[in-house]
Amino acid sequence: MATGTTLVSFKQELKTQLEARAGLSGVTVHYAFPETGITGEDIWFGEIAETDAEIPIMKSGTKKVDETVSVPVVVQVLKQQGEDQETADLRAVALLAELQQELAETPRTITDIYAAEMVGWTHTGGQLGGSNHGSRFDVTVRIRARLEP
């Protein structure tokens, strides 16, 4: 079982699983925001994860901790060949669906967690300048785990 947090090992494994999905062929999956190397179709983990942790049974000695972590995942499409907003949005939705499906098929991404699920998202789309358009989903993935010493 994990101690400390499951955050890093979860992100590492989900990145690996997303990279292996046929529906994400050509999409670059990053562990963090790519300061260089945006390819136009990218997925990365956001900067700020939040957690709730509680001790299910209070007694003296070492404690088990129930961890619930909200992990931000960014799904972004940049269309820079004159494609319209609808084209950018449709492609971003296809990438979002791949993330959704990966979590549905493998909710226990790593053995140290009970499950991971997509619990919400926000969408931003718009013109990038000229006739270029972008579409971005800021997704919240929730993982639940019990940490044991």
Side-chain angles (χ1 to χ4, degrees):
M1 290 258 104
T3 57
T5 184
T6 57
L7 177 65
V8 174
S9 56
F10 169 78
K11 287 170 46 175
Q12 290 170 327
E13 184 58 28
L14 183 57
K15 177 183 181 295
T16 299
Q17 291 175 359
L18 291 173
E19 289 171 329
R21 287 193 70 82
L24 293 176
S25 177
V27 175
T28 307
V29 182
H30 309 268
Y31 183 84
F33 174 74
E35 305 230 355
T36 60
I38 294 277
T39 64
E41 294 187 352
D42 298 272
I43 297 173
W44 67 86
F45 295 98
E47 296 176 6
I48 301 173
E50 296 181 5
T51 186
D52 289 320
E54 64 181 58
I55 299 169
I57 300 172
M58 196 55 135
K59 60 181 181 178
S60 36
T62 305
K63 312 282 189 283
K64 294 180 182 180
V65 177
D66 288 339
E67 173 183 69
T68 302
V69 182
S70 295
V71 182
V73 180
V74 177
V75 174
Q76 179 174 281
V77 172
L78 304 175
K79 292 294 185 185
Q80 301 176 6
Q81 302 299 318
E83 299 96 336
D84 62 10
Q85 188 63 50
E86 183 178 10
T87 301
D89 287 347
L90 287 170
R91 183 60 180 150
V93 167
L95 302 188
L96 177 71
E98 288 292 330
L99 171 61
Q100 218 171 19
Q101 193 59 32
E102 180 59 43
L103 293 170
E105 291 171 4
T106 317
R108 196 165 185 202
T109 310
I110 58 173
T111 58
D112 287 337
I113 69 171
Y114 295 133
E117 60 185 333
M118 195 168 93
V119 295
W121 51 260
T122 60
H123 178 259
T124 307
Q127 199 167 13
L128 301 172
S131 59
N132 301 323
H133 292 85
S135 187
R136 173 178 166 148
F137 285 94
D138 288 284
V139 180
T140 300
V141 173
R142 181 174 53 216
I143 59 176
R144 293 186 179 146
R146 173 158 288 170
L147 308 177
E148 298 187 31

